[in-house]
Amino acid sequence: MGEIIDGYKFEQRHGKSRVRVARVWRSQEDGVHLFAEWSVDVSLLSDCVSAYVDADNSGIVATDTMKNTVYVKAKECSEQVSMEEFAIVLAKHFTSFYQQVTTAIVKIVEKPWERCYINGQPHKHGFKLGSEKHTTEVVLTKSGALRVTSGIEGLSLLKTTQSGFEGFVRDKNTILPETRERMLATEVSASWRYPFESLASIPVKRLYFTKMYLDVKNVLAETFFGPPNKGVYSPSVQATLYQMGKAVLGRFPDVSFIQLKMPNIHFLPVNLSSKDNPVIVKFEDDVYLPTDEPHGTIEASLSRTMSKL
């Protein structure tokens, strides 16, 4: 909500972005190390209008303090936590410690470090960088109202068959042929919202959000590919996107809303010919030109009819 100042509606917030922090947890029992790297954004809605209109900084929480708080709270997490839990810890601190702060918004992106396996054995302290990123946004007000959103970015999926596109609108500018045999590739970005409306409503389960993230990611991939021995046909990216969102809501009662963005990354059939040689390369569903752009953009969201958005 804005305030009327000098005849203008005025809204403000301030925060610290891209605070990078890495945390190692070392087991004293078996010597196994756990590791996480996060990029944290903190944004505060607070009563500090006087800093803007009167040059009075007495109500401002310095953004440098926010940065330092991220490191302090990471140190205080003596046991491994999911990044959603860490975001909640930060949001709870800022809304409870500072009287003038009415709402804290904490966004985190986790870098996809994965444990290394050497000769089939998990390394105790070795990690390699993966691909897709885990994201979260936590919004917490001083009154205790809570909203938790998790997501995934850069989940690259590709299948070499069982994809087609037919029956679409054709006009004088349409040259795309209809097909029941093409490659389907995309880079999924998904975000899903939990129904928890207060801190007390969050399940008391260790690494609950981490498990949910892994489970949702698996369901998205399983629905895209179909059974490993026979797959599943995709009549369009739109149809596959809908089935993926529907599968997540059907499998997880704790997800109330999901949004999916799935660019159609094209692999174009290659046919090469010349005047002297009419068939240099003849496409037989085997040689493609990979492209990054332009690409199709398809997105949609699904929510339970009774969920509060």
Side-chain angles (χ1 to χ4, degrees):
M1 295 294 292
E3 301 181 47
I4 304 299
I5 299 175
D6 297 331
Y8 303 101
K9 184 178 180 181
F10 179 70
E11 298 182 29
Q12 55 79 29
R13 67 174 64 182
H14 73 291
K16 199 75 164 181
S17 295
R18 300 182 71 177
V19 180
R20 296 181 61 181
V21 58
R23 184 65 161 94
V24 177
W25 293 275
R26 296 177 173 87
S27 171
Q28 300 300 318
E29 297 179 1
D30 55 15
V32 173
H33 292 189
L34 302 170
F35 177 73
E37 180 183 346
W38 298 320
S39 178
V40 182
D41 292 355
V42 177
S43 185
L44 303 183
L45 280 63
S46 62
D47 181 12
C48 62
V49 173
S50 60
Y52 295 86
V53 300
D54 298 322
D56 176 5
N57 296 332
S58 60
I60 287 185
V61 179
T63 64
D64 189 68
T65 302
M66 298 180 200
K67 177 200 68 177
N68 296 338
T69 300
V70 171
Y71 300 129
V72 170
K73 292 302 177 182
K75 175 66 175 179
E76 291 177 358
C77 293
S78 57
E79 294 186 353
Q80 183 188 20
V81 294
S82 67
M83 72 174 185
E84 287 89 349
E85 292 173 300
F86 186 61
I88 291 170
V89 167
L90 290 172
K92 186 177 179 181
H93 168 81
F94 288 118
T95 54
S96 61
F97 190 79
Y98 299 104
Q99 183 179 357
Q100 69 272 38
V101 173
T102 58
T103 302
I105 303 167
V106 181
K107 299 180 181 181
I108 303 179
V109 177
E110 184 170 55
K111 210 162 186 178
W113 290 105
E114 303 170 350
R115 188 172 301 281
C116 280
Y117 282 73
I118 307 298
N119 296 324
Q121 297 297 315
H123 199 284
K124 287 189 174 183
H125 56 262
F127 298 84
K128 64 182 179 68
L129 195 60
S131 54
E132 65 273 2
K133 295 179 180 179
H134 182 183
T135 66
T136 192
E137 179 184 74
V138 169
V139 180
L140 180 65
T141 68
K142 190 176 288 293
S143 65
L146 175 70
R147 187 178 71 197
V148 180
T149 304
S150 294
I152 188 169
E153 293 181 357
L155 177 61
S156 296
L157 304 176
L158 178 151
K159 59 183 185 180
T160 56
T161 189
Q162 291 208 29
S163 172
F165 191 49
E166 302 174 286
F168 49 88
V169 175
R170 306 197 70 89
D171 58 37
K172 65 180 182 180
N173 296 323
T174 304
I175 62 173
L176 182 70
E178 298 193 2
T179 182
R180 289 188 61 83
E181 179 57 54
R182 67 173 183 172
M183 191 178 294
L184 179 59
T186 188
E187 189 174 276
V188 180
S189 293
S191 61
W192 54 93
R193 192 172 303 157
Y194 296 95
F196 316 128
E197 297 182 345
S198 67
L199 295 173
S201 62
I202 296 175
V204 184
K205 299 178 182 177
R206 186 172 182 273
L207 299 178
Y208 164 82
F209 290 106
T210 299
K211 184 178 185 305
M212 281 292 297
Y213 166 76
L214 294 173
D215 288 346
V216 170
K217 182 173 71 168
N218 287 337
V219 168
L220 291 172
E222 288 171 6
T223 309
F224 178 89
F225 292 117
N229 59 333
K230 62 179 182 178
V232 63
Y233 181 71
S234 170
S236 66
V237 179
Q238 287 86 343
T240 296
L241 181 154
Y242 177 73
Q243 291 301 322
M244 291 165 69
K246 185 179 175 182
V248 170
L249 291 181
R251 189 81 65 90
F252 306 109
D254 280 354
V255 174
S256 60
F257 166 91
I258 184 168
Q259 182 178 44
L260 288 158
K261 297 180 181 180
M262 292 174 53
N264 187 7
I265 300 174
H266 304 302
F267 283 73
L268 305 179
V270 173
N271 284 293
L272 296 180
S273 63
S274 69
K275 183 178 179 179
D276 299 327
N277 187 351
V279 181
I280 300 175
V281 172
K282 182 179 181 181
F283 177 68
E284 295 177 337
D285 301 326
D286 52 8
V287 179
Y288 299 82
L289 171 63
T291 65
D292 293 319
E293 52 188 30
H295 57 69
T297 55
I298 295 92
E299 59 183 274
S301 62
L302 291 81
S303 60
R304 304 187 190 281
T305 54
M306 297 302 292
S307 68
K308 298 179 181 179
L309 301 183

